Amino acid sequence: MKPFYITTAIDYANGSPHLGHAYEKVLTDVIARFRRQQGDQVHFLTGTDEHGQKVQASARRRGVEPQAFCDEVSGEFRAMLPRLQITNDDFIRTTEERHKRVVRDLLQRLFDQGDIYRAEYRGYYSARQEQFLQDKDRNPDGSWPEIFGEVGEITESNYFFRLKKYQPWLVSFLEANPDFVFPRFRQSQVLEFLKEPLNDLCISRPRERLSWGIPLPFDDGYVTYVWFDALTNYYSAVVDRPGVWPADYHVIGKDILVPPHAVYWMIMLQAAGLPLPRHILAHGWWLQRGAKMSKSTGNALNPLDLVDQFGSDAFRYFLMREMNVGQDSDFTLEQFLARYNGELANNLGNLVNRTLNMTTRFAEGVVPPAGAPGDAERELRELWERTSAECIALSEGFQFHTALERTMAFVAATNAYVEKRAPWKLGKSAEAADRELLRTSLATMAEALRLAVALLQHVMPAAAGRINEVLGHVPGPIWRDELAWGGRLAGKRVAASLVLFPRPTPPAAVTAG
Ligand code: MSP
């Protein structure tokens, strides 16, 4: 079976990671874990994008060599991964030899077959974006949009990649594969972009202007344009692992879909005769008060502050619960706290506490076997059957926010079931029927908790592990089997208590940085 190969964008090694970077890793990890638990063999790649003007300039400002600068920043991105419980199988840096070799081979191949040519170019150039501009990029009043910074006119001899030649192919490919980009409305944006004729892509930068890059194999007076270099990471990382390429999903932000991923990368692969990725998933942005969170606007949140304070399970839960994949979301601490307190501490945490506490008080810490179900047990079980089927379908379609909402609704229904059965009252009675109902209610709440945890584990792996542990449950190898309602915990000894989501100590210290 071909491994399910999933990648994130590789982050620019020119500043510290922020919430947007963390989100992309968490989203990709949730998908990777979900696929693994469904039986796929997964290969999960992430990494850092280390060449180019921005990195060279940042290193210069700090007065260090670009390589030393990259080692430090890349190290910071890498160190974040275990703190977020990211289960990547590989981490690629574009300054590694294994990557540079593949970029050079690819360039040489495209050059030899005539898809890369040399030409004079005179045009407007944005140093900040490392991009040549055209008049159509101007604002209606003739000025240049701010994102380009200072724009100058330059003439240069450069190397160009024949994008235009492949435009008709790309359009027909996208038309034949309407599910290529998720969400679908983003695929329409790609086609919209392709209504205009493409220009060939300048893939070289003269050394005197930029030295921090991969030299062109056929002209070492130039280094490779950073996007051509960076995109190749997805392939270079697995070139020595037969059967892994092509990627099943490239997970990226919406800002880098068009043109880099949906146009340049697709045409690079097609021109090189390599198999194409199966899908691109373009997620939205985390905003703060309506503006994209980014380092340059100074409104970026340090994800690790939230992790320090609330734990990485709560952090992952919030990101997945709050954001509808593909749309933008505003981040506010109030909303984070509302979900933390309401959904994690009060709803899930409460069910954990009650289960442990009542099993300890009324059954000497051992989950009893369930007796014959009454209406309340039957209703809860029916809700479970619906919830689990829905959550699988929703998660397969990346609707994690709704799947979590449904799972938490099931947890809430279990809490309501406990209120209704009131084991604390049954525990006072010596009647045989009450003793039986007590056993049934304790068994039912424990089983419902175990099941809910099976639907949460790809989002909150550590919390799921701890709850299973205190329930004395060791999940079996087949995840689907874990979803079957079956009184699996009868006879298991539970722990007396577990504090999973402690009340935050005010004031919540989350800093912008
Ligand atoms: N280096 C390029 C990607 C090359 S991939 C071959 C790059 N790096 S980046 O550091 O600017 O962004 C990395 C990823 O983080 C991108 O997918 C980007 O969309 C994502 N995010 C950056 N800011 C974001 C938010 N505020 N919200 C969500 N994700 C955003 O682009």
Side-chain angles (χ1 to χ4, degrees), residues 111-132:
F111 183 71
D112 291 345
Q113 71 190 36
D115 276 331
I116 289 177
Y117 63 94
R118 187 180 171 132
E120 281 292 318
Y121 188 87
R122 181 178 168 72
Y124 305 108
Y125 186 78
S126 150
R128 183 185 297 169
Q129 296 298 326
E130 298 171 47
Q131 185 186 333
F132 281 100

Side-chain angles (χ1 to χ4, degrees), residues 4 13 61 104 180 216 265 272 292 309 336 402 408-409 436 451 462 491 513:
F4 178 84
R61 270 198 301 278
R104 283 193 299 264
F180 180 68
L216 295 183
W265 180 226
K292 182 190 180 206
Q309 202 174 356
F336 186 97
T402 314
M408 286 303 178
E436 164 92 348
L451 291 163

Side-chain angles (χ1 to χ4, degrees), residues 8-12 18-21 23-24 49 77 227 230-231 233-234 251-256 261 283-287 292-294 323:
T8 69
I10 50 172
D11 302 311
Y12 284 128
H18 63 64
L19 186 77
H21 301 125
Y23 170 70
E24 190 170 295
D49 183 357
F77 275 93
W227 270 107
L231 288 162
N233 90 87
Y234 303 129
V251 178
I252 57 169
K254 63 178 186 180
D255 48 323
I256 57 172
H261 284 82
H283 61 74
W285 285 342
W286 283 96
L287 312 172
K292 182 190 180 206
M293 209 182 273
S294 80
M323 184 157 317

Side-chain angles (χ1 to χ4, degrees), residues 319-368:
L319 297 185
M320 290 299 107
R321 174 69 185 86
E322 185 69 14
M323 184 157 317
N324 176 348
V325 175
Q327 312 283 331
D328 295 345
S329 272
D330 218 57
F331 183 93
T332 67
L333 194 55
E334 293 71 40
Q335 180 70 349
F336 186 97
L337 288 171
R339 293 209 185 278
Y340 180 87
N341 289 324
E343 299 171 23
L344 294 179
N346 293 345
N347 192 23
L348 180 62
N350 192 17
L351 180 59
V352 173
N353 287 337
R354 288 170 139 183
T355 305
L356 300 182
N357 180 291
M358 292 184 204
T359 310
T360 303
R361 271 171 61 201
F362 303 121
E364 274 121 40
V366 176
V367 179

